[in-house]
Structures are given as structure tokens and as C-alpha cells.
């Protein structure tokens, strides 16, 4: 019984045939440290700890510094590009800031065009007549419907709104023009609610 315990117990050493003695290595604790490089042995015993703090870690090595510079450059590029191009659903025509939005709810598409003064504007000299044309584009890229309305802008924010039945409408194009001939075309995808 004792023999089986030795053969199948926790003390059994695999990989040796019966009668052979297993090889046992003896070493003093920490003896292998003298064969390591100094920076690794210092790190293991706690003599030289890595620098603490997020910024110090980001600039601690050459690779980390290059990665940080690349990240900052990418963020700056995206910010400058988005600021320079603006968005397709906003623009200014004849000193009036125009923006269009559209959403679909229960098979009806609601479209709204907002007309207001830009933030840095001091006001307008006279009333402006604006012509607003909504063009509704379906899934195939075809013109589904068109709606035209005139608005008188006096400086107060006004909204021009229209609703259309939703038969696969994906895009709204809005042309805002003034009597002088200046015009802008705004585009807005239809969001689902």
C-alpha cells in the first residue's frame, strides 16, 4: 500500500524510470542575481523603481516620446480639419447662419431649417428675403420630393419646418438663397428616432 502511495502520490516525480535517481539542483537564494544585468537585478530588488506619474511614463523612453508626439499631431490635425471644413449641414449666406436637421419618426420625416445671426454678428441693417428649397433624396439617390418656402429674416431666429412621408428617405438637401443671388446648399442625413 505504501508503495502505491509513492508511485501515484503527490511526491511522485515524472520522467524517470524505476530505480533512477532524479536530478536535483541546489542553489542559494538570490545566487542567480549575480549573473543578471545590473539594471534587471536592481529592478528586482526594488533599488531602481520605474518613474511614477502618467506624464513621466509617457516621456520616459524615446519610443514613448515619439508615440506621444504622433498622438498630439493626429489630434491637432483632426481638430484643425474639422474646424476648417465645418459641417455640411451649416453655413452662412448673406450674413445669416443657416443650419438644417432632419429625423424620421413613425414613418414621417421632419425637416427643420434654422435661420439666425452668427454669434459674432452685431445685427442686420434691413430685412432679408430668403428662399428655402428642401430636396428630399431617397435610397436610390433620386429626388423624391421638393418643397419651396420664402422667409423674411429680421434678425430674430426663425425656423422653417416641413414634414414628408418616409418612403426610404435618407438625405435632405436644403438650398438657401437670397435675392442678390448668393446661395448655399446644406445637406443632412435623416436620423431614425
Amino acid at each position: 500500500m505504501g508503495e502505491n502511495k509513492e508511485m501515484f502520490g503527490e511526491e511522485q516525480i515524472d520522467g524517470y524510470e524505476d530505480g533512477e535517481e532524479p536530478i536535483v539542483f541546489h542553489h542559494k537564494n538570490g545566487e542567480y542575481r549575480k549573473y543578471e544585468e545590473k539594471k534587471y537585478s536592481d529592478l528586482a530588488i526594488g533599488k531602481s523603481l520605474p518613474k511614477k506619474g502618467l506624464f513621466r511614463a509617457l516621456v520616459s523612453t524615446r519610443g514613448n516620446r515619439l508615440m506621444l508626439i504622433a498622438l498630439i499631431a493626429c489630434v491637432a490635425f483632426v481638430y484643425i480639419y474639422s474646424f476648417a471644413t465645418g459641417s455640411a449641414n451649416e453655413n452662412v449666406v448673406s450674413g445669416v447662419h443657416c443650419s438644417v436637421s432632419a429625423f424620421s419618426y413613425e414613418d414621417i420625416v421632419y425637416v427643420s431649417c434654422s435661420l439666425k445671426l452668427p454669434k459674432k454678428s452685431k445685427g442686420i441693417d434691413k430685412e432679408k428675403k430668403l428662399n428655402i428649397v428642401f430636396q428630399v433624396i431617397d435610397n436610390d439617390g433620386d429626388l423624391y420630393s421638393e418643397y419651396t418656402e420664402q422667409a423674411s429674416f429680421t434678425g430674430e431666429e426663425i425656423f422653417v419646418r416641413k414634414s414628408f412621408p418616409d418612403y426610404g428617405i435618407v438625405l435632405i438637401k436644403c438650398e438657401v438663397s437670397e435675392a442678390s443671388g448668393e446661395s448655399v446648399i446644406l445637406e443632412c442625413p435623416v436620423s431614425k428616432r
Side-chain angles (χ1 to χ4, degrees):
M1 189 84 163
E3 190 175 314
N4 286 342
K5 184 177 181 186
E6 193 173 303
M7 288 179 61
F8 300 107
E10 295 176 6
E11 298 175 6
Q12 178 187 3
I13 300 174
D14 291 334
Y16 298 99
E17 292 188 19
D18 290 336
E20 286 187 15
E21 287 292 320
I23 298 174
V24 179
F25 295 97
H26 297 283
H27 64 85
K28 295 179 185 173
N29 277 345
E31 182 180 13
Y32 56 91
R33 294 267 183 238
K34 65 182 176 184
Y35 300 109
E36 286 183 324
E37 287 186 40
K38 177 136 177 70
K39 64 181 177 180
Y40 298 125
S41 61
D42 287 349
L43 186 62
I45 61 174
K47 192 173 181 181
S48 63
L49 294 174
K51 296 178 181 177
K52 292 185 179 179
L54 178 64
F55 187 73
R56 286 183 181 172
L58 288 175
V59 296
S60 63
T61 65
R62 184 172 185 254
N64 288 0
R65 286 189 293 269
L66 290 174
M67 189 67 73
L68 179 64
I69 290 169
L71 180 68
I72 290 171
C74 286
V75 169
F77 174 75
V78 168
Y79 180 73
I80 290 169
Y81 180 76
S82 65
F83 182 74
T85 59
S87 61
N89 68 332
E90 296 182 11
N91 210 331
V92 177
V93 60
S94 188
V96 179
H97 181 267
C98 310
S99 65
V100 65
S101 62
F103 66 92
S104 175
Y105 181 73
E106 293 184 357
D107 295 332
I108 297 177
V109 174
Y110 298 93
V111 182
S112 176
C113 181
S114 167
L115 305 169
K116 62 182 178 181
L117 287 175
K119 291 179 182 176
K120 298 177 183 176
S121 176
K122 296 176 184 169
I124 59 170
D125 298 336
K126 59 181 181 173
E127 179 180 351
K128 297 183 182 204
K129 300 284 186 189
L130 299 172
N131 193 34
I132 296 114
V133 178
F134 291 118
Q135 294 180 336
V136 181
I137 311 297
D138 64 7
N139 287 334
D140 299 327
D142 298 328
L143 180 65
Y144 169 73
S145 181
E146 189 171 284
Y147 174 75
T148 304
E149 185 171 321
Q150 291 191 352
S152 297
F153 184 75
T154 58
E156 298 289 322
E157 182 176 13
I158 60 172
F159 295 93
V160 177
R161 295 186 170 113
K162 179 67 177 152
S163 61
F164 301 94
D166 188 2
Y167 295 112
I169 297 172
V170 294
L171 183 70
I172 301 295
K173 288 186 179 182
C174 178
E175 181 180 359
V176 181
S177 58
E178 205 221 346
S180 66
E182 187 178 350
S183 69
V184 293
I185 296 177
L186 311 172
E187 289 185 2
C188 176
V190 177
S191 62
K192 302 287 183 188
R193 291 193 183 173

